[in-house]
């Protein structure tokens, strides 16, 4: 038995894989990654495979970035973890200031947690508790969008709407209202209905949570910036909170630093994770305005009742600081613009393959459809299998095929990745006819 076969056997015997049925675990191919650099996942035998999903949408600066490696080593020699309860350390304090610096206007407080779901939980709890103790306790409900995905914990799932992920848990979730889904990608009536819900129940709404610009898990669904700007106006008029879940869209994934920047707006609460640590360590932040923070002044009973063991973990915070520093030094967002243009053009040209529809992209995020069955579709998986043979690791959302490469991927690797996407899609769709 080769070393890889042994690892696969152990994995199949004892590991429980995310979003994978036990039978798929037993039968579907598993890539054994020995090391990784840039956009490449590398096996023990030296086979190189392109990481098309950015290791689940977080690997914004490529694998093994030398500056991130060095930052971990440096920080590990000082303190790897200590409590944030009545203690602090350089990475946590400085990162908070540096995040505020790059955040949309007015977000000047930072609460740390470990992942995107907890960043969302924290935002929901902050909004809820704020109104409880600041004179409007009847504001106990949230509004969200159809197709929303905000994470896998119970609160985040309550805000979410992707039925394949949340359906079975519905009885455990709290009620979040949302308008009916868009028909033919027409989002205007969806937002109009959302505004109507807000106006009807303005005294009861603690906040409105959205993924700015792109709904990732729903299948990389994109809506216009003008609607996000209108939502900001409506929530201002209602004097309730706009919560921007930038877990996926943040850190330049869609072009500018934040999805909100497309609309030139600042939310009241902003959730960041994934790319915040360069996709290297579990690390997240929920940003809030000074007004919200001030709502937690007073005695102990008014404190935000939330905190994780690894809140503000020094290694994670040091990495996030280094990520922001690399963005500044290498002008990562500016340098990604021509790559995003190339990605957009190549994805558009995918419609030359019969059976490909709805090509779309925003920044370094691009997707197309290969069938109508959405997440439960199987054509995307056939394409993923073909792509793996050709040297790219795709992670389709059913029949939505997407690529989310590092923002700093070199052009030749990006071309190679898009060649493989094209070839694997042709293999499956053309041979199926
Ligand atoms: C991935 C994601 C989350 C959840 O983040 P985890 O780190 O997986 O818990 C929340 N919101 C959005 C928009 C995401 O894409």
């Amino acid at each position: 038995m080769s070393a890889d076969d042994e690892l696969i056997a152990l994995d199949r015997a004892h590991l429980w894989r995310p979003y994978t049925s036990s039978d798929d675990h037993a039968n579907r191919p598993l890539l054994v990654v020995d090391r990784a650099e840039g956009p490449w996942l590398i096996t023990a035998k030296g086979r190189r495979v392109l990481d098309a999903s950015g290791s689940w949408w977080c690997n914004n600066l490529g694998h093994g970035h030398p500056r991130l490696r060095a930052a971990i080593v440096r920080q590990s020699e000082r303190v790897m973890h200590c409590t944030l309860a009545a203690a602090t350390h350089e990475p946590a304090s400085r990162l908070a200031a540096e995040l505020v610096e790059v955040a949309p206007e007015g977000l000047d407080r930072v609460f740390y947690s470990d992942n995107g779901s907890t960043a969302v939980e924290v935002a929901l709890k902050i909004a809820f508790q704020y109104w409880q103790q600041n004179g409007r306790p009847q504001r106990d409900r949230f509004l969200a969008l159809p197709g929303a995905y905000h994470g896998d914990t119970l609160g985040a799932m309550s805000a979410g709407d992707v039925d394949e992920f949340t359906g079975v848990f519905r009885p455990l979730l709290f009620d979040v209202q949302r308008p009916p889904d868009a028909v033919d990608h027409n989002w205007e009536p969806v937002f109009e209905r959302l505004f109507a819900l807000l106006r009807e129940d303005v005294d009861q709404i603690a906040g409105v949570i959205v993924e700015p610009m792109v709904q990732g898990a729903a299948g990389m669904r994109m809506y216009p910036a003008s609607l996000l700007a209108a939502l900001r106006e409506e929530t201002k008029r209602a004097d309730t909170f706009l919560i921007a879940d930038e877990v996926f869209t943040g850190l330049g994934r869609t072009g500018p630093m934040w999805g909100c920047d497309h609309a030139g707006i600042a939310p009241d609460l902003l959730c960041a994770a994934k790319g915040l640590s360069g996709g290297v360590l579990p690390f997240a932040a929920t940003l809030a305005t000074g007004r919200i923070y001030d709502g937690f002044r007073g005695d102990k009973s008014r404190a935000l009742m939330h905190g994780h063991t690894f809140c503000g973990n020094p290694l994670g915070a040091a990495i996030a600081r280094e990520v922001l520093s690399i963005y500044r030094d290498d002008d990562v967002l500016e340098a990604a613009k021509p790559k995003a243009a190339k990605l957009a053009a190549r994805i558009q040209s995918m419609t030359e393959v019969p059976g490909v529809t709805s090509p779309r992209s925003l920044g370094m995020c691009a997707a197309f459809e290969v069938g109508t069955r959405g997440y439960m579709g199987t054509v995307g998986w056939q394409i993923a299998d073909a792509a793996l043979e050709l040297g790219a690791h795709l992670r389709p959302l059913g029949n939505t095929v997407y690529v989310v490469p590092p923002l700093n991927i070199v052009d030749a690797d990006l071309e190679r990745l898009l060649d493989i996407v094209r070839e694997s899609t042709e293999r499956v769709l053309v041979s199926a006819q």
Side-chain angles (χ1 to χ4, degrees), residues 64-290:
H65 195 294
R67 283 185 60 181
L68 298 184
R69 280 193 178 137
I72 291 192
V73 172
R74 270 198 315 276
Q75 185 56 42
S76 72
E77 287 162 352
R78 295 175 66 188
V79 49
M80 288 199 267
H81 184 63
C82 76
T83 176
L84 215 61
T88 195
H89 45 77
E90 181 173 20
S93 297
R94 290 203 189 281
L95 174 62
E98 289 159 7
L99 267 177
V100 166
E101 187 72 32
V102 297
E105 188 80 32
L107 294 166
D108 52 19
R109 289 283 165 179
V110 179
F111 189 97
Y112 294 123
S113 62
D114 313 326
N115 58 68
S117 305
T118 55
V120 167
E121 296 278 339
V122 170
L124 296 173
K125 284 178 72 174
I126 288 177
F128 183 88
Q129 193 182 334
Y130 177 91
W131 296 118
Q132 288 302 305
Q133 62 193 32
N134 288 281
R136 305 182 85 162
Q138 70 283 9
R139 286 197 154 177
D140 60 0
R141 289 196 284 122
F142 292 92
L143 296 178
L145 285 175
Y149 175 79
H150 296 293
D152 282 357
T153 51
L154 290 171
M157 274 200 293
S158 299
D161 184 40
V162 182
D163 225 40
E164 289 83 356
F165 301 145
T166 60
V168 67
F169 301 110
R170 280 286 162 208
L172 297 181
L173 307 183
F174 58 79
D175 206 29
V176 169
Q177 270 184 297
R178 69 190 86 242
D181 205 357
V183 179
D184 294 333
H185 313 288
N186 182 9
W187 283 88
E188 232 159 89
V190 177
F191 277 77
E192 279 308 322
R193 188 70 201 113
L194 181 69
F195 302 158
L197 288 172
L198 183 55
R199 286 179 208 144
E200 278 161 28
D201 286 337
V202 72
D203 289 331
Q204 273 130 44
I205 305 301
V208 183
I209 180 166
V210 298
E211 294 154 272
M213 305 302 295
V214 184
Q215 293 189 316
M220 303 296 165
R221 309 194 321 170
M222 301 176 186
Y223 61 84
S226 57
L227 296 176
L228 185 58
L231 173 61
R232 175 69 285 191
E233 284 313 304
E234 287 288 336
T235 47
K236 268 195 186 142
R237 203 167 300 141
D239 187 34
T240 195
F241 298 140
L242 175 60
I243 305 170
D245 177 355
E246 297 257 15
V247 169
F248 172 50
T249 50
L251 280 294
R253 174 51 64 191
T254 69
M257 192 65 169
W258 308 104
C260 283
D261 294 339
H262 288 279
I265 61 147
D268 302 283
L269 290 151
L270 182 150
C271 310
K274 291 196 168 117
L276 176 61
S277 66
V280 168
L281 285 173
F283 193 79
T286 304
L287 278 68
T289 60

Side-chain angles (χ1 to χ4, degrees), residues 283-366:
F283 193 79
T286 304
L287 278 68
T289 60
R291 172 199 177 181
I292 293 178
Y293 186 73
D294 286 343
F296 291 78
R297 294 189 189 280
D299 67 21
K300 215 153 82 183
S301 71
R302 291 176 59 85
L304 174 65
M305 292 303 170
H306 197 96
H308 294 285
T309 308
F310 289 110
C311 188
N313 172 258
L315 288 173
I319 281 286
R321 290 193 66 207
E322 195 68 11
V323 165
L324 294 179
S325 170
I326 293 168
Y327 275 54
R328 288 192 300 271
D329 295 346
D330 297 355
D331 211 346
V332 169
L333 301 186
E334 196 57 35
K337 280 182 185 166
K339 299 179 198 299
K342 186 185 300 280
L343 177 59
R346 293 281 313 258
I347 285 294
Q348 283 302 326
S349 75
M350 285 299 299
T351 53
E352 292 160 15
V353 183
V356 169
T357 56
S358 299
R360 56 202 180 271
S361 70
L362 194 67
M364 291 297 273
C365 162

